């Protein structure tokens, strides 16, 4: 293997013999790192070979979108489809609002409150989901959430008052926490070099559900009215069985076909002694004492939170400002969500591409630039008064705001290894808090017109993206500061106490630290004496 | 060059005259007298049920207006379009029902009841309240249209009626929802129990 690929620029500061792997006797104690030698030998606990090339943690090193091979690609597809269906269910009401508001006698305030309620429930559920994933695994987390919120979807056909409507949208919104299980699952299955694109693609395609639903629900409604002959006020109720049934079916598929980790499920691995039951208090402590958690929760609120807000208001905005009819406004609204097909994955890809050259510092710059440009475009959208330019600006704005979401999750897996679940959950929750706050400040009352609200939201995006400047990793640096002498091992081992280390609980983190050396970017000399040179570079 | 421009301008103006000019509601004379009456299944004052009850609407050219104005007032009157309109109390906080003086943008009268030929003796119609009428307070307005379809006059009822909508709910939907919800939770519990049992069996056999 090209052992010297990184450090052959003539300035090698390697210790004597560091290029002769296995000869010096100074190789690290952890046997796991030796497994990187042959892909053909990588097998899971049961001795089955993996369909994709894997690294030392058995995470896949490539993403093959056309494959459904267990466990990596099957997980990928189950995960994004489950999340997409949850998005579909949460935003199933807005496209049918003209019928629902007449049936239930809703006022603008009722509709606004329901919109806020639909994204507020997920603030709590996303925080909880992080912990649940850390403790019982993403498969159970995802399936249980989907099947417990499905009854809320089935309650929508029974609603007859504004309060009932707001409550049902609140409870349905809980299922948006599948985002956390999706990201957690991707980070467990895919290697750090491609985690950006894996996370971005899965989440982006999931977010597309918010666009697809704007086209599908009116279609289902029409079919029910024409072919079954129902009244309008009955047809929309029957239409809600579609998201409900899809969600139950998907929950069952995740339970039966899914797998938590490349090596197996949490329960089996715990029995084999491979997966250690972690302590919730410790996991929680390391999440809340890490300042990066809070910074990313805030910035995510101003890319994903903005995306949720726009999903809720954009159809009405085009309908009112440009005097379009409901169908046309709905089609334009759906294009915003459908851009997710490639914009969020591209954000993750850009993050990975930039990291290959500049490491983590590149990822941070990438995120800051993309999100700030998104904010500027939001300001422009609010100021654009002609229909054609407004659609164009909206499409470019949607690209940048969704790419920023993808880029954020290119960084999150590196903040912590032990508390990845809670931190993913906190970031996701931050996204929803951003949506609640933004809708509450700018889009509820008649104080601001919708176009002014959009412009002010753009200013807030730019302001709330500035904290990315302060994110610093000792081993990799930050946007303006270079790294110190610390290593990846130092950073990740700091999450384990001496006692836990003597019990060998930190081995998984050490494997991860090894693989995360890619975040240094190209042409970085080795730093510590125990540096291995056999790092997998494929 | 100048002549062809002028020619083009004339053609444009000629075409424009066929386009509906903006009609402002405040400019329309109120020359019709309109009355409505609810035919209930179950008698109730001013309350009508969508889908069950009927509305009887009578309109006639207002006698005093005819005398006061010049004869031939109704020369351009071609058709009468009857519409169900939201009362102001039902327009509060609902921008999609907003009143606008420009009749192209006005959303007060969204439900069409009937269109009849204009006669100076007036006419009446019986309308069964359709099931897609939302619950709100209404009045009936009659727009008089000329041969172009533009509104030239109007009349409206003085009293308000409240319409009770259908709920849209059916017993069969309620039952289906209950069954699907039970299936969702039940199958989840079943699968979790199954995995638990399988796990215990395999660890027991070790």
């Amino acid at each position: 293997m090209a052992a010297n690929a990184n450090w052959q620029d003539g300035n090698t500061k390697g210790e004597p013999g560091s290029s002769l792997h296995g000869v010096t006797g100074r190789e690290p104690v952890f046997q796991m790192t030796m497994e990187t030698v042959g892909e053909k030998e990588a097998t899971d606990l049961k001795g089955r070979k993996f369909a994709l090339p894997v690294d030392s943690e058995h995470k896949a090193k490539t993403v093959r979108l056309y494959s459904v091979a267990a466990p990596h690609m099957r997980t990928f597809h189950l995960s994004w489809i489950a999340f997409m269906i949850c998005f579909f269910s949460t935003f199933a009401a807005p496209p049918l609002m003209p019928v629902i508001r007449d049936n239930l006698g809703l006022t603008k305030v009722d509709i606004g409150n329901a919109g806020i309620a639909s994204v507020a429930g997920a603030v709590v559920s996303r925080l909880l989901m992080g912990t649940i994933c850390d403790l019982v695994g993403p498969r159970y987390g995802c399936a249980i959430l989907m099947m417990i919120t499905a009854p809320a979807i089935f309650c929508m056909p029974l609603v007859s008052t504004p309060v009932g409507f707001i409550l049902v949208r609140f409870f349905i919104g809980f299922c948006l926490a599948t985002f956390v299980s999706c990201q957690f699952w991707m980070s467990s299955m895919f290697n750090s070099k491609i985690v950006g694109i894996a996370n971005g693609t899965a989440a982006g395609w999931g977010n597309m559900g918010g666009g697809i639903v704007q086209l599908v629900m009116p279609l289902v409604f029409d079919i029910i009215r024409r072919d079954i002959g129902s009244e309008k006020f009955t047809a929309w109720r029957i239409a809600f069985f579609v998201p409900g049934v899809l969600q139950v079916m998907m929950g069952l598929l995740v339970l039966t076909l899914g797998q938590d980790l490349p090596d197996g499920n949490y329960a089996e691995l715990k029995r084999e002694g491979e997966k250690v039951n972690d302590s919730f208090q410790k996991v929680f402590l390391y999440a809340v004492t890490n300042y990066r958690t809070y910074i990313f929760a805030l910035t995510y609120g101003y890319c994903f939170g903005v995306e949720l807000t726009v999903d809720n208001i954009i159809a009405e905005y085009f309908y009112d400002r440009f005097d379009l009819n409901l169908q046309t406004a709905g089609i334009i609204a759906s294009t915003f969500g459908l851009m997710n097909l490639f914009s969020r994955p591209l954000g993750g890809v850009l993050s990975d591409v930039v990291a290959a050259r500049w490491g983590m510092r590149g990822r941070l710059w990438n995120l800051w630039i993309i999100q700030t440009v998104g904010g500027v475009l939001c300001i422009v959208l609010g100021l654009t008064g002609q229909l054609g330019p407004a659609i164009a600006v909206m499409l470019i704005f949607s690209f940048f705001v969704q790419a920023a979401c993808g880029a954020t999750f290119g960084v999150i897996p590196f903040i912590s290894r032990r508390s990845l679940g809670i931190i993913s959950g906190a970031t996701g929750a931050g996204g929803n808090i951003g949506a609640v706050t933004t809708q509450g400040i700018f889009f509820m009352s008649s104080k601001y017109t919708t176009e002014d609200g959009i412009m002010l939201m753009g200013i807030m995006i730019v302001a709330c993206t500035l904290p990315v400047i302060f994110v610093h990793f000792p081993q990799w640096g930050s946007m303006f500061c270079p790294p110190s002498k610390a290593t990846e091992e130092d950073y990740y081992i700091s999450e384990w106490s001496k006692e836990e280390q003597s019990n060998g609980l930190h081995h998984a983190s050490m494997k991860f630290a090894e693989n995360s050396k890619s975040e240094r970017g190209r042409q970085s000399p080795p730093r510590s004496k125990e540096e291995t040179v056999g790092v997998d570079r494929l | 060059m100048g002549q062809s421009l002028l020619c083009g301008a004339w053609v444009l103006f000629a075409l424009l005259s066929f386009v509906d000019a903006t009609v402002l509601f405040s400019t329309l004379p109120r020359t019709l007298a309109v009355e409505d009456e609810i035919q209930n299944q179950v008698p109730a004052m001013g309350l009508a049920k969508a889908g069950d009850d009927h509305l009887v609407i009578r309109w006639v050219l207002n006698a005093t207006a005819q005398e006061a104005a010049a004869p031939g007032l109704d020369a351009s009157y071609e058709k009468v379009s009857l519409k169900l309109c939201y009362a102001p109390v039902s327009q509060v906080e609902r921008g999609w029902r907003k009143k606008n003086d420009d009749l192209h943008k006005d959303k007060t009268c969204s439900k069409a009841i009937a269109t009849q030929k204009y006669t100076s003796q007036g006419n009446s119609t019986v309308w069964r309240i359709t099931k897609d009428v939302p619950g709100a307070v209404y009045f009936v307005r009659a727009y008089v249209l000329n041969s172009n379809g533009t509104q030239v006059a109007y009349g409206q009822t003085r009293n308000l009626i409240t319409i009770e909508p259908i709920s849209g709910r059916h017993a069969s939907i309620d039952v289906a929802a209950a069954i699907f919800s039970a299936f969702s939770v039940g199958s989840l519990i079943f699968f979790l129990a199954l995995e638990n049992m399988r796990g215990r069996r395999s660890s027991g056999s070790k």
Side-chain angles (χ1 to χ4, degrees):
Chain A
M1 201 137 334
N4 300 334
N6 251 13
W7 305 299
Q8 53 188 6
D9 52 349
N11 249 355
T12 312
K13 295 207 184 84
E15 294 292 298
S18 61
S19 63
L20 300 173
H21 184 76
V23 171
T24 61
R26 290 223 217 112
E27 285 71 39
V29 178
F30 323 123
Q31 290 302 304
M32 292 71 93
T33 54
M34 301 303 197
E35 281 177 336
T36 58
V37 176
E39 299 166 11
K40 300 185 190 106
E41 294 158 31
T43 57
D44 65 11
L45 279 186
K46 299 203 178 112
R48 295 176 296 210
K49 274 197 276 195
F50 289 114
L52 271 66
V54 295
D55 66 12
S56 66
E57 289 178 280
H58 291 175
K59 295 186 186 177
K61 293 193 295 206
T62 61
V63 182
R64 285 191 201 143
L65 294 176
Y66 48 81
S67 150
V68 282
H72 306 100
M73 288 320 300
R74 189 175 295 181
T75 296
F76 178 83
H77 291 296
L78 280 174
S79 201
W80 80 259
I81 296 179
F83 181 43
M84 188 202 73
I85 290 182
C86 289
F87 235 92
F88 189 98
S89 309
T90 306
F91 292 101
L96 298 179
M97 203 56 88
V99 180
I100 301 178
R101 70 190 179 195
D102 276 346
N103 193 180
L104 305 178
L106 302 176
T107 63
K108 178 164 186 193
V109 175
D110 290 330
I111 297 178
N113 280 330
I116 290 185
S118 67
V119 293
V123 171
V124 172
S125 65
R126 282 182 173 202
L127 286 169
L128 289 176
M129 182 58 110
T131 314
I132 293 174
C133 283
D134 278 325
L135 299 177
V136 300
R139 183 179 66 113
Y140 274 174
C142 178
I144 292 176
L145 182 66
M146 288 182 83
M147 299 184 73
I148 296 226
T149 36
I153 305 176
F154 293 119
C155 279
M156 185 63 102
L158 312 179
V159 152
S160 49
T161 61
V163 172
F165 182 65
I166 294 173
L167 277 176
V168 170
R169 283 206 77 188
F170 174 71
F171 285 115
I172 296 179
F174 275 71
C175 69
L176 282 183
T178 40
F179 166 74
V180 177
S181 67
C182 178
Q183 301 287 286
F184 185 97
W185 224 345
M186 295 296 104
S187 306
S188 310
M189 286 282 177
F190 293 94
N191 175 271
S192 56
K193 267 175 248 90
I194 53 163
V195 74
I197 186 178
N199 269 340
T201 311
W205 290 2
N207 282 11
M208 265 202 315
I212 294 175
V213 75
Q214 309 257 14
L215 295 170
V216 170
M217 286 301 272
L219 196 70
V220 170
F221 173 75
D222 262 338
I223 291 175
I224 294 174
R225 274 225 310 165
R226 261 181 311 130
D227 300 337
I228 305 185
S230 303
E231 287 299 325
K232 269 167 52 172
F233 291 173
T234 304
W236 77 265
R237 295 169 186 275
I238 300 178
F240 260 87
F241 279 87
V242 169
V245 168
L246 283 175
Q247 193 153 312
V248 174
M249 273 173 27
M250 207 54 215
L252 288 174
L253 280 177
V254 165
L255 259 183
T256 50
L257 298 177
Q259 188 177 307
D260 291 309
L261 291 167
D263 290 329
N265 286 319
Y266 272 34
E268 295 162 25
L269 295 175
K270 279 185 203 163
R271 276 195 298 276
E272 306 286 336
E274 284 291 324
K275 171 99 185 59
V276 183
N277 224 343
D278 209 343
S279 127
F280 169 69
Q281 276 136 328
K282 283 293 178 68
V283 168
F284 184 75
L285 180 73
Y286 288 112
V288 298
T289 51
N290 194 330
Y291 72 94
R292 301 171 194 86
T293 307
Y294 302 99
I295 293 185
F296 284 107
L298 173 66
T299 61
Y300 198 61
Y302 283 90
C303 56
F304 184 64
V306 163
E307 190 184 331
L308 290 179
T309 302
V310 173
D311 271 337
N312 263 333
I313 60 141
I314 195 74
E316 231 181 312
Y317 174 68
F318 276 95
Y319 182 82
D320 288 334
R321 193 169 187 194
F322 302 102
D323 284 323
L324 304 170
N325 68 21
L326 208 70
Q327 278 75 20
T328 314
I331 293 175
I332 296 177
S334 69
T335 55
F336 179 84
L338 290 173
M339 286 286 284
N340 265 302
L341 176 68
F342 54 84
S343 50
R344 188 162 174 153
L346 270 178
V349 165
L350 272 170
S351 187
D352 288 338
V353 162
V354 162
R357 175 73 177 81
W358 289 291
M360 177 56 71
R361 295 181 79 179
R363 287 193 197 264
L364 294 170
W365 270 102
N366 175 60
L367 171 61
W368 183 79
I369 291 175
I370 292 181
Q371 193 157 321
T372 304
V373 171
V376 169
L377 285 165
C378 190
I379 299 175
V380 172
L381 178 65
L383 298 171
T384 309
Q386 288 86 35
L387 179 62
I391 297 179
V393 172
M394 183 202 73
L395 288 173
I396 306 177
F397 161 61
S398 80
F399 174 81
F400 278 93
V401 100
Q402 290 157 6
C405 297
T408 308
F409 274 86
V411 176
I412 300 285
F414 297 100
I415 298 179
S416 159
R417 182 62 190 83
R418 192 171 187 183
S419 311
L420 173 64
I422 290 198
I423 294 183
S424 295
T427 309
N432 282 61
I433 293 178
V436 168
T437 317
T438 313
Q439 280 178 96
I441 299 177
F442 300 126
F443 298 104
M444 269 280 274
S445 66
S446 345
K447 194 158 139 212
Y448 304 110
T449 59
T450 310
E451 52 261 34
D452 281 345
I454 292 179
M455 190 201 67
L456 292 169
M457 181 167 74
I459 296 179
M460 200 148 179
I461 295 175
V462 175
C464 292
T465 308
L466 288 172
V468 174
I469 295 178
F470 301 113
V471 175
H472 180 83
F473 288 91
Q475 70 276 31
W476 297 316
S478 66
M479 274 168 72
F480 292 111
C481 305
S484 66
K485 292 250 179 287
T487 65
E488 289 78 3
E489 281 84 2
D490 295 336
Y491 181 77
Y492 290 109
I493 213 168
S494 65
E495 296 180 325
W496 301 92
S497 67
K498 285 271 173 284
E499 208 184 292
E500 290 167 330
Q501 287 176 42
S502 61
N503 284 337
L505 296 176
H506 62 301
H507 288 319
S509 286
M510 290 299 99
K511 274 197 241 175
F512 180 76
E514 181 62 40
N515 287 319
S516 72
K517 287 204 194 332
S518 56
E519 293 309 302
R520 294 193 189 172
R522 233 189 298 150
Q523 298 169 11
S524 53
R527 252 176 258 148
S528 77
K529 291 193 177 142
E530 283 89 33
E531 205 82 321
T532 69
V533 294
V535 175
D536 213 75
R537 280 273 146 217
L538 290 169
Chain B
M1 168 68 177
Q3 271 189 335
S4 59
L5 258 180
L6 204 59
C7 193
W10 273 116
V11 174
L12 195 61
F13 276 119
L15 284 173
L16 278 176
S17 67
F18 286 111
V19 173
D20 283 344
T22 313
V23 181
L24 294 179
F25 181 68
S26 46
T27 61
L28 295 181
R30 188 171 178 172
T31 54
L32 288 187
V34 187
E35 259 176 33
D36 62 5
E37 186 196 315
I38 305 172
Q39 280 179 350
N40 312 65
Q41 301 274 16
V42 178
M45 271 308 292
L47 199 67
K49 274 206 174 125
D52 287 337
D53 298 339
H54 292 79
L55 219 54
V56 181
I57 304 160
R58 277 178 282 270
W59 59 269
V60 72
L61 187 66
N62 198 337
T64 48
Q66 193 174 31
E67 281 163 24
L73 170 74
D74 52 358
S76 59
Y77 293 7
E78 279 279 324
K79 294 211 259 290
V80 173
S81 161
L82 297 167
K83 294 206 161 153
L84 194 65
C85 307
Y86 295 108
V89 63
S90 288
Q91 290 174 307
V92 167
E93 293 244 13
R94 292 180 174 96
W96 55 93
R97 295 179 185 170
K98 216 162 77 155
K99 192 170 73 159
N100 194 317
D101 207 26
D102 179 351
L103 282 177
H104 278 296
K105 298 191 181 155
D106 183 42
K107 301 196 175 104
T108 318
C109 302
S110 53
K111 188 82 188 136
I113 296 176
T115 309
Q116 298 179 309
K117 266 192 85 65
Y118 172 79
T119 65
S120 48
Q121 291 86 12
N123 210 336
S124 73
T125 185
V126 179
W127 180 64
R128 186 183 191 158
I129 304 176
T130 52
K131 288 187 179 173
D132 60 354
V133 171
V137 182
Y138 297 90
F139 60 93
V140 176
R141 183 179 288 169
Y143 282 115
V144 184
L145 309 172
N146 65 8
S147 49
N148 280 346
T150 324
Q151 298 90 340
V152 290
Y154 80 101
Q156 63 190 43
T157 57
R158 290 182 203 282
N159 57 314
L160 300 171
I161 46 174
T162 309
I163 296 187
E164 235 177 68
I166 59 165
S167 72
R169 292 176 59 178
H170 284 283
S172 53
I173 296 183
D174 294 354
V175 169
I179 293 179
F180 278 101
S181 305
F183 174 74
S184 175
V185 178
S187 55
L188 175 71
I189 296 178
F190 171 74
F191 269 101
L192 290 180
L194 195 69
E195 296 210 350
N196 211 4
M197 265 194 335
R198 243 190 250 152
R200 235 181 279 144
R201 215 180 300 139
S202 71
S203 62
S205 65
K206 279 204 182 327

